[in-house]
């Protein structure tokens, strides 16, 4: 690949060097934020032969270049700009160009994504415990208690982690947010899981003649996000009125006191109910007869990815894990990916042009590790009904998920890495691989039969 020539073609399609506000790259894509989006010639961008595709999403113009190549193209772009490219404010620049809904989803992603390693680890430990029990290993009560510590702590104290992450996102004092998060799961409050299972009653507190039922916020997401934001908001605004000489004592005192009061007696129960309602709706959809909910989600999940709204699904996945202990959306999401992957690989095998064939394979490979945007925008959406064939494959994978009763023990990883979330038994691993194979094969065969690239 001639990296300098590729950069020149990219610059011609976006209105030149002077139109670049900021730039960065990920594993497969060059991402540009422009000063004037009206100067972009999207048709010309999509016709650049040395890249796999172009699309605009979340305020960013994204050129799919491929692993191992994109970093060289980025360095070439830096040279073209005279070496002056500071992408430290890239997220802020991209955020400014987003719609309101995109900003909400991006904010949720920025808060929840840092938590994924902890939640993935918890899921793997749950799978390990399940595998050992399935293999006939006998645990003493003390050993089971230790395993419960490993698998349950992250969810029991999830509001603490989320409040901390949210406070960092909104520029607040993370330590104060941690304290508020700890108060939300304090042992003095009835445990939310115990109350939900009927083992305890909410604590009734009389305030101004009104009885408020209080429970803990174990495993909840939205109240903790609100806590992180509200702590940041309070702290920032209180400092406008509190003298600097009194700031060290009075600002944290008032911030914690007011925040906990508002959460326990105001927005906390409301947000908790909204979150439980959303999770219940998803569970109702998945409980539809004949696996209809599974089929629809398996077909449509990658449509959600195209809009960029998939980051918000993390709230639902956490809710499902919190309430049921398993996550059926993980295999369904993987089924949807596998369907699109099968369709894209079929396209690659049909292409005669070596450059196009190579670009199609390159754009598809990141799907194996859960990144599908290069495949979607670089291949499937460019060839008519190919995306629809991928959806059919995802639907078949969804049906297989329903029939086999496949669910993950965690979240955050999909496709090949997602196998680790099924380590509780060989049967679970085989079932997960069967979901992938069924979705891939269906989409691959349909695409090959239709042959959308006869003239390519």
């Amino acid at each position: 690949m001639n990296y300098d020539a590729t950069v020149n073609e990219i610059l011609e399609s976006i209105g030149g060097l002077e139109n670049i506000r900021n730039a960065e790259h990920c594993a497969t894509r060059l991402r540009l934020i422009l000063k004037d989006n009206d100067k972009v010639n999207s048709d010309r961008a999509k016709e650049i032969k040395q890249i796999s595709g172009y699309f605009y999403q979340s305020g960013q113009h994204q050129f799919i270049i491929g692993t191992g190549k994109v970093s060289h193209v980025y360095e070439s772009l830096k040279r073209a700009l005279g070496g002056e490219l500071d992408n430290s404010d890239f997220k802020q620049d991209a955020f400014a160009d987003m719609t309101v809904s995109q900003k909400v989803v991006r904010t949720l992603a920025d808060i929840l994504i840092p938590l994924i390693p902890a939640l993935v680890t918890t899921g793997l430990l749950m799978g390990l415990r399940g595998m050992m029990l399935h293999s006939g290993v006998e645990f003493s009560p003390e050993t089971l208690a230790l395993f419960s510590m490993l698998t349950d702590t992250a969810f029991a104290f999830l509001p603490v982690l989320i409040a901390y992450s949210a406070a960092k996102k909104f520029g607040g004092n993370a330590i104060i947010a941690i304290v508020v998060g700890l108060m939300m799961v304090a042992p003095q409050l009835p445990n939310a899981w115990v109350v939900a299972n009927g083992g305890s009653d909410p604590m009734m507190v009389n305030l101004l003649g009104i009885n408020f039922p209080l429970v803990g916020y174990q495993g909840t997401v939205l109240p903790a996000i609100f806590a992180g934001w509200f702590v940041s908001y309070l702290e920032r605004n209180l400092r406008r009125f509190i003298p600097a000489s009194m700031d060290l004592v009075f600002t944290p005192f008032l911030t914690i006191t007011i925040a906990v009061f508002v959460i326990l007696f105001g927005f906390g129960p409301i947000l908790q109910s909204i979150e439980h309602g959303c999770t219940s709706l998803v569970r109702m959809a998945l409980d539809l007869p004949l696996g209809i909910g599974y089929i629809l989600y398996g077909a449509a999940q990658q449509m959600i990815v195209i809009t960029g709204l998939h980051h918000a699904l993390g709230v639902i996945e956490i809710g499902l894990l919190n309430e049921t202990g398993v996550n059926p959306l993980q295999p369904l999401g993987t089924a949807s990916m596998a369907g699109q992957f099968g369709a894209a690989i079929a396209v690659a095998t049909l292409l005669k042009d070596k450059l196009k064939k190579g670009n199609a394979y390159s754009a598809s490979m990141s799907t194996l590790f859960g990144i599908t945007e290069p495949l979607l925008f670089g291949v499937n959406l460019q060839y008519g009904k190919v995306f629809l064939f991928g959806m059919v494959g995802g639907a078949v994978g969804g049906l297989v998920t329903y029939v086999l009763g496949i669910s993950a023990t965690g979240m955050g990883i999909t496709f090949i890495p997602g196998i680790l979330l099924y380590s509780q038994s060989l049967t679970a691993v085989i079932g997960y691989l069967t979901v992938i194979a069924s979705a891939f094969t269906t989409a691959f065969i349909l695409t090959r039969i239709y042959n959308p690239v006869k003239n390519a």
Side-chain angles (χ1 to χ4, degrees), residues 331-343:
L332 290 175
T334 298
S336 192
M337 293 178 184
Q340 298 300 332
F341 183 58

Side-chain angles (χ1 to χ4, degrees), residues 179-235:
V179 173
V180 172
L182 286 169
M183 291 179 176
M184 294 172 65
V185 293
Q188 289 80 7
L189 294 173
N191 188 290
W193 295 328
V194 177
V195 172
N197 292 326
S200 177
D201 294 321
M203 176 191 295
M204 302 304 297
V205 177
N206 187 284
L207 184 67
L208 300 176
I210 303 174
N211 287 325
F212 288 89
L214 300 182
V215 297
Y217 289 86
Q218 286 80 7
T220 56
V221 177
L222 296 182
I225 292 176
F226 173 80
W229 170 80
F230 194 55
V231 162
S232 306
Y233 174 82
L234 276 177
E235 183 185 23

Side-chain angles (χ1 to χ4, degrees), residues 241-436:
F241 308 102
I242 296 176
S245 59
M246 304 170 66
D247 174 69
L248 182 63
V249 175
F250 283 96
T251 300
F253 168 75
L254 291 172
T255 299
I256 292 173
T257 305
I258 296 172
V260 170
F261 183 85
V262 170
I263 291 167
L264 293 182
F265 298 100
F267 288 95
I270 296 172
L271 293 171
Q272 193 175 42
S273 297
I274 292 173
E275 184 175 330
H276 288 325
C278 292
T279 305
S280 297
L281 284 174
V282 172
R283 292 174 65 180
M284 287 173 58
L286 294 178
D287 287 338
L288 289 173
L290 303 177
I292 293 174
Y294 283 74
I295 293 169
L296 292 177
Y297 190 90
Q301 194 267 350
Q302 287 298 292
M303 292 182 66
I304 302 174
V305 172
I306 291 173
T307 67
L309 298 177
H310 58 294
H311 294 295
L313 296 174
V315 177
I316 303 298
E317 291 187 76
I318 291 173
L320 288 169
L321 286 167
N322 175 48
E323 295 184 17
T324 67
V326 292
N327 176 17
L329 297 190
Q330 193 278 345
L332 290 175
T334 298
S336 192
M337 293 178 184
Q340 298 300 332
F341 183 58
I345 294 299
V347 169
T349 61
L350 290 166
L351 286 167
K352 299 295 187 286
D353 184 281
K354 290 185 178 180
L355 182 59
K356 289 184 178 180
K357 181 185 288 286
N359 285 340
Y361 278 123
S362 178
S364 302
M365 288 303 105
S366 61
T367 305
L368 294 172
F369 301 95
I371 303 172
T372 56
E373 286 90 346
L375 172 151
L376 295 173
F377 294 100
V379 183
N380 292 7
L381 291 174
Q382 294 190 23
Y383 291 96
K385 297 181 179 179
V386 171
F387 182 77
L388 294 178
F389 295 144
M391 290 182 64
V392 174
V396 171
L399 178 60
V400 173
T401 302
Y402 169 75
V403 171
L404 299 181
I406 304 298
S407 288
T409 57
M411 59 173 288
I413 50 177
T414 51
F415 224 100
I416 300 303
I419 295 174
L420 296 172
L421 297 178
Y422 299 85
S423 57
Q424 66 267 29
S425 69
L426 180 60
T427 302
V429 172
I430 293 174
Y432 180 66
L433 294 177
T434 302
V435 169
I436 293 175

